[in-house]
């Protein structure tokens, strides 16, 4: 494998389904309880009211497995009107009445994050009172498959929410929205895949909220579930980074469109980095050019992004401080270098900030962060649980490099640069 083919080989987080088949889970993994409502097995059909929405003879969608209410064909037809589209409905939906069958059905499953997520300090432990147990879950594949699990504890409105969310994704994929985004984004990077997912989930949540405002009997909406779920995760948990794609995607969409009919504009000129999702008015990112002259073999590279930085720092500094640091994020590249079998990993993470002050703020924050995590050494820190040494190096007034790995790798790595031109090399001495 050449260095070119290895570029971007390090994919730090794997989505529930590979991007090629557009897997999506909705609303998420964990959330708090909601106000008790009518159980989902109540078969009373709500009054759709007057207006252009289909009231009779909805399209037929076959439901394989456990029965679901309300009628997914009716939901699809209503969404078509709301979204001003004429995409055909899926022929069938696979429905599950238990979490095991649902989990086993998803191609690939959700894999644990790779090592650098742990290096940065993300937590991955279980969280109690899961959304799946309380309400259910779902996923939609770009090839046309839709699957849902509706919990026995779910209300009818929550079941309708799950179906509307997934059928919105089905309409997205049939209209080739993902392909349009993938053509603009570097989806092989952590940051690019974060943006892709945010720009699929944000429109889906906004569309589902609009649907529920029109048809829900008691004001149930989709978006508040993600706000409650975010509070379920402790700061620094990987779930906060993952769930934030729903929240930040929703916030971005609502800030950019005046009505649901404008939602197509989101796909025409999308942001390409999470920094723009966090702040739609963020300027053009500063350039970062890196010369690689290290004696060790460079085996992969990636771009992690502002969202990764913000939610990663939360594990050992106050979330409000982590958010403030991310506001000055410019751009970054993570390089992984070869290491022995007994070495956790060797990395250089180069970050360029929007100003010298932003770089200094990151420097002070990352110092406090590792002071809270590791044992201080003369030049940096020792993460004993991972067997890693960490040092922060300056590569110019607005650029910092985090060197992580075995003590020998850190000692032999030299970082230099100015104005976004960074050199990573070995100490010849």
């Amino acid at each position: 494998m050449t260095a070119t083919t290895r570029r971007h080989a390090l994919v730090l987080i794997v989505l529930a389904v590979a991007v090629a088949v557009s897997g999506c889970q909705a609303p998420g993994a964990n959330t708090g309880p909601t106000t008790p409502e009518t159980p989902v097995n109540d078969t009373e059909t709500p009054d759709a009211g007057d207006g252009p929405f289909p009231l009779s003879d909805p399209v037929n969608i076959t439901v394989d497995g456990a029965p679901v209410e309300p009628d997914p064909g009716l939901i699809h037809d209503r969404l078509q009107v709301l979204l001003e589209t004429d995409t055909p409905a899926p022929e069938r939906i696979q429905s599950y009445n238990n979490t095991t069958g649902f989990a086993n059905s998803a191609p690939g499953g959700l894999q644990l994050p790779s090592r650098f997520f742990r290096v940065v300090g993300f937590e991955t432990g279980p969280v109690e009172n899961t959304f799946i147990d309380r309400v259910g879950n779902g996923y939609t594949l770009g090839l046309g498959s839709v699957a849902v699990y509706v919990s026995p504890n779910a209300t009818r409105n929550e079941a309708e929410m799950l179906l509307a969310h997934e059928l919105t994704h089905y309409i997205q994929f049939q209209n080739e929205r993902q392909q349009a985004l993938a053509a603009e984004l570097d989806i092989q990077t952590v940051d690019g895949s974060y943006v892709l997912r945010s720009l699929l989930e944000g429109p889906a949540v906004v569309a589902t909220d609009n649907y529920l405002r029109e048809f829900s009997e008691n004001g149930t909406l989709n978006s508040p579930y993600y706000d409650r779920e975010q509070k379920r995760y402790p700061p620094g948990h990987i779930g906060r980074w993952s769930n934030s794609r729903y929240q930040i995607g929703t916030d971005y969409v609502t800030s950019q469109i005046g009505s649901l009919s404008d939602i197509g504009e989101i796909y025409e000129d999308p942001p390409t980095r999470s920094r723009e999702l966090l702040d739609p008015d963020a300027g053009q990112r500063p350039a970062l050019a890196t010369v690689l002259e290290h004696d060790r073999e460079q085996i992969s590279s990636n771009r992690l992004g502002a969202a990764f930085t913000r939610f990663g720092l939360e594990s050992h500094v106050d979330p409000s401080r982590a958010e403030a640091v991310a506001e000055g994020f410019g751009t970054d590249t993570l390089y992984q270098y070869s290491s022995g079998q007994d070495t956790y990993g060797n990395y250089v993470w180069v970050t360029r900030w929007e100003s010298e002050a932003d770089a200094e703020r990151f420097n002070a924050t990352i110092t406090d962060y590792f002071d809270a995590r590791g044992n201080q050494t003369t030049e940096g820190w020792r993460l004993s649980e991972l067997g890693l040494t960490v040092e922060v190096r300056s590569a110019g007034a607005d650029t910092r490099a985090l060197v992580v790995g075995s003590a020998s790798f850190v000692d032999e790595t030299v970082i230099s640069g100015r104005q976004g031109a960074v050199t990573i090399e070995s100490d010849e001495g």
Side-chain angles (χ1 to χ4, degrees), residues 38-214:
T38 305
V40 68
N41 57 8
D42 188 333
T43 58
E44 179 183 355
T45 301
D47 182 6
D50 297 327
F53 300 96
L55 301 177
S56 62
D57 195 26
V59 66
N60 180 60
I61 299 177
T62 300
V63 176
D64 294 330
V68 295
E69 289 285 348
D71 179 12
L74 179 60
I75 295 173
H76 175 271
D77 286 356
R78 289 168 169 173
L79 285 168
Q80 291 242 82
V81 176
L82 283 171
L83 295 169
E84 299 182 3
T85 184
D86 59 357
T87 56
E91 293 183 3
R92 59 189 63 247
I93 288 177
Q94 181 66 51
S95 176
Y96 296 89
N97 59 8
N98 62 80
T99 56
T100 301
F102 175 80
N104 290 339
S105 73
L110 181 62
Q111 298 183 20
L112 292 176
S114 79
R115 289 183 169 188
F116 197 73
F117 269 69
R118 190 178 177 198
V119 169
V120 172
F122 277 109
E123 299 176 29
T124 59
V127 177
E128 295 181 355
N129 197 2
T130 67
F131 178 88
I132 293 176
D133 291 338
R134 171 66 184 87
V135 177
N137 211 336
Y139 65 81
T140 302
L141 307 185
L143 298 179
S145 299
V146 180
V148 294
Y149 159 65
V150 180
S151 169
N153 299 317
T155 66
R156 180 191 180 90
N157 286 317
E158 289 170 336
E160 190 166 15
M161 175 182 69
L162 285 169
L163 289 165
H165 187 110
E166 294 309 325
L167 287 169
T168 299
H169 280 311
Y170 179 85
I171 292 172
Q172 282 178 326
F173 299 148
Q174 292 301 305
N175 287 331
E176 299 185 344
R177 300 305 197 186
Q178 181 185 344
Q179 291 91 322
L181 292 173
E184 300 293 329
L185 305 174
D186 189 355
I187 60 175
Q188 293 184 0
T189 66
V190 166
D191 199 42
S193 66
Y194 182 97
V195 174
L196 174 68
R197 185 68 175 271
S198 298
L199 294 180
L200 291 174
E201 297 302 343
V205 174
V206 171
T208 304
D209 275 357
N210 274 265
Y211 176 95
L212 293 169
R213 287 189 184 98
E214 190 73 34

Side-chain angles (χ1 to χ4, degrees), residues 95-391:
S95 176
Y96 296 89
N97 59 8
N98 62 80
T99 56
T100 301
F102 175 80
N104 290 339
S105 73
L110 181 62
Q111 298 183 20
L112 292 176
S114 79
R115 289 183 169 188
F116 197 73
F117 269 69
R118 190 178 177 198
V119 169
V120 172
F122 277 109
E123 299 176 29
T124 59
V127 177
E128 295 181 355
N129 197 2
T130 67
F131 178 88
I132 293 176
D133 291 338
R134 171 66 184 87
V135 177
N137 211 336
Y139 65 81
T140 302
L141 307 185
L143 298 179
S145 299
V146 180
V148 294
Y149 159 65
V150 180
S151 169
N153 299 317
T155 66
R156 180 191 180 90
N157 286 317
E158 289 170 336
E160 190 166 15
M161 175 182 69
L162 285 169
L163 289 165
H165 187 110
E166 294 309 325
L167 287 169
T168 299
H169 280 311
Y170 179 85
I171 292 172
Q172 282 178 326
F173 299 148
Q174 292 301 305
N175 287 331
E176 299 185 344
R177 300 305 197 186
Q178 181 185 344
Q179 291 91 322
L181 292 173
E184 300 293 329
L185 305 174
D186 189 355
I187 60 175
Q188 293 184 0
T189 66
V190 166
D191 199 42
S193 66
Y194 182 97
V195 174
L196 174 68
R197 185 68 175 271
S198 298
L199 294 180
L200 291 174
E201 297 302 343
V205 174
V206 171
T208 304
D209 275 357
N210 274 265
Y211 176 95
L212 293 169
R213 287 189 184 98
E214 190 73 34
F215 300 109
S216 177
E217 295 178 289
N218 66 348
T220 296
L221 292 179
N222 194 188
S223 52
Y225 282 83
Y226 304 109
D227 298 333
R228 289 193 288 269
E229 181 173 341
Q230 197 75 344
K231 296 176 182 178
R232 286 278 165 199
Y233 295 105
H237 196 284
I238 191 70
R240 282 178 58 82
W241 176 83
S242 181
N243 182 70
S244 71
R245 297 173 296 184
Y246 294 83
Q247 291 182 300
I248 290 170
T250 299
D251 291 344
Y252 179 83
V253 171
T254 55
S255 73
Q256 298 300 300
I257 66 173
S259 67
L260 196 60
S261 61
D262 301 327
I263 208 162
E265 299 174 5
I266 298 299
Y267 309 101
E268 294 172 1
D269 185 23
T272 59
R273 56 195 177 112
S274 61
R275 177 72 179 88
E276 297 169 84
L277 291 176
L278 297 169
D279 179 8
D281 297 323
Q284 184 177 5
R285 73 182 185 194
L288 181 61
T290 309
V291 177
L292 305 177
E293 297 183 344
H294 206 289
D295 290 343
R296 303 234 187 179
E297 181 185 17
Q298 185 256 313
I299 61 176
S300 68
S301 66
N302 213 308
R303 178 166 53 87
L304 305 183
F308 173 93
T309 304
R310 169 182 166 180
F311 292 102
L313 286 173
E314 282 187 353
S315 63
H316 288 84
V317 300
D318 187 87
S320 62
R321 185 179 181 187
E323 182 176 1
V325 169
E327 290 175 356
F329 190 90
T331 190
D332 74 298
T333 306
L334 171 72
Y335 298 99
Q336 183 177 6
Y337 286 87
S338 61
S339 60
Q341 292 182 348
D342 297 331
T343 303
Y344 195 83
N346 294 323
Y347 305 93
V348 177
W349 184 28
V350 183
T351 59
R352 190 176 186 193
W353 300 81
E354 292 188 350
S355 69
E356 181 176 350
D358 291 320
E360 285 296 331
R361 184 177 298 110
F362 170 72
N363 202 110
T365 303
I366 202 71
T367 295
D368 290 345
Y369 170 89
F370 279 112
D371 281 349
R373 264 194 78 189
N375 300 318
Q376 286 185 311
T377 66
T378 303
E379 301 294 335
W381 303 268
R382 179 71 176 169
L383 303 181
S384 300
E385 76 279 12
L386 301 178
L388 295 176
T389 297
V390 181
E391 292 183 11

